[in-house]
Amino acid sequence: MHEIAPVCPDGDRGDCVKMLDSAASRYLRHEARRRKGLRMRNLEFLWKDATSGGGGCPALYKTEGGYVVQGIKLDDATRAQLRQLADDEDGVFVPANVLDRLREIG
């Protein structure tokens, strides 16, 4: 394994090492999340699409700090239109009535 010798401003190697350690930590956390997915604990079911019938989709769940949306997968052509979609992200379609109800509880 080769050591990377960063170009340090003002010759302060200690700050450069801290900066590289921090960047490496962020990268490793991102890679772990990308491979495994984001684990959410204690999902609270809020509601599903009023017209979905017997299926469970689309639906909305509340979790600590945000929401989880269960929706219909997008085809490749639609996914290609999403902006700055990271490797660990995806888009789903959700009917307006599922998200519009958030205004009632907001």
Side-chain angles (χ1 to χ4, degrees):
M1 184 172 211
H2 299 286
E3 183 179 341
I4 298 172
V7 177
C8 299
D10 301 326
D12 189 348
R13 187 163 169 81
D15 284 345
C16 284
V17 170
K18 287 178 190 174
M19 183 178 68
L20 286 174
D21 284 347
S22 176
S25 292
R26 285 192 308 274
Y27 173 77
L28 291 173
R29 284 193 308 270
H30 170 77
E31 281 301 300
R33 188 180 82 181
R34 183 183 68 75
R35 278 184 260 121
K36 296 178 185 176
L38 185 61
R39 181 180 176 105
M40 305 301 299
R41 299 178 190 266
N42 302 322
L43 291 180
E44 175 188 345
F45 174 78
L46 296 177
W47 55 77
K48 66 179 196 160
D49 177 23
T51 63
S52 71
C57 176
L60 187 65
Y61 301 82
K62 186 173 184 174
T63 189
E64 183 178 333
Y67 298 91
V68 172
V69 177
Q70 177 183 340
I72 300 166
K73 288 183 178 182
L74 303 175
D75 65 12
D76 290 340
T78 306
R79 281 185 90 248
Q81 297 177 59
L82 299 176
R83 296 181 183 191
Q84 299 175 335
L85 189 65
D87 291 342
D88 63 342
E89 297 176 336
D90 213 336
V92 295
F93 172 78
V94 179
N97 72 67
V98 174
L99 298 179
D100 288 344
R101 289 181 64 187
L102 282 172
R103 291 186 190 121
E104 298 170 11
I105 65 168

